[in-house]
Amino acid sequence: MTTVGERWTRGDSKNHMILAQIEEWFQSGIAGIRAAGGSIAYDKLVFQPKVVGDLTFAEGSYKTPKGMAHSSWKKSASEFSLTVTVPTNTTAEVWVPTGDGQKVSTPRRATYQRAEDGYTVFSVPAGQFTFNAA
């Protein structure tokens, strides 16, 4: 079998490609760019990168109706840095991975919201923002 069938018994349908959504996983998972719940035409975004395995760098973008959303992050043994670009007429929540509550250098115009599930969450307007966690 080269695709994932609908039935374990290898029935008549075998037209489901495995890993068909890998690009979406990279964009919304690794780079962490997605529309916020209740968003209309991507006017509210969420940047929540997943720092997995031994990855030390990731970068991705998504063209929304309001412009290009961009995320890039890098980590070292002592620091995590996340840079996001929020398109015009858009707001965003930025989830900075902080694990056990590391301090985050907060850029101007970013507002602290909460700490949740190993992230520190900020709200930001349109623009480019860089967050650094020790």
Side-chain angles (χ1 to χ4, degrees):
M1 260 177 118
T2 59
T3 62
V4 177
E6 289 180 347
R7 299 173 190 84
W8 286 109
T9 59
R10 298 174 61 102
D12 54 354
S13 176
K14 298 178 184 72
N15 63 352
H16 302 281
M17 296 184 329
I18 194 162
L19 301 176
Q21 297 297 321
I22 191 72
E23 293 164 354
E24 181 182 348
W25 178 76
F26 280 121
Q27 176 216 313
S28 65
I30 301 297
I33 305 168
R34 69 177 188 274
S39 174
I40 298 172
Y42 287 83
D43 64 341
K44 298 174 191 153
L45 296 174
V46 174
F47 292 88
Q48 185 180 12
K50 305 291 188 287
V51 182
V52 295
D54 59 356
L55 286 178
T56 59
F57 173 82
E59 182 172 12
S61 58
Y62 183 78
K63 187 175 182 180
T64 76
K66 302 196 183 288
M68 192 66 71
H70 184 266
S71 168
S72 67
W73 60 262
K74 59 184 167 185
K75 73 171 184 172
S76 67
S78 61
E79 184 177 64
F80 177 84
S81 180
L82 170 64
T83 299
V84 300
T85 302
V86 182
T88 304
N89 297 320
T90 304
T91 59
E93 271 193 351
V94 180
W95 292 58
V96 181
T98 51
D100 296 326
Q102 290 91 340
K103 288 200 167 259
V104 178
S105 169
T106 308
R108 190 173 61 82
R109 300 190 314 136
T111 305
Y112 172 83
Q113 296 296 307
R114 66 190 176 279
E116 183 177 326
D117 297 331
Y119 288 87
T120 302
V121 184
F122 299 89
S123 64
V124 295
Q128 184 173 12
F129 302 88
T130 299
F131 298 83
N132 294 299

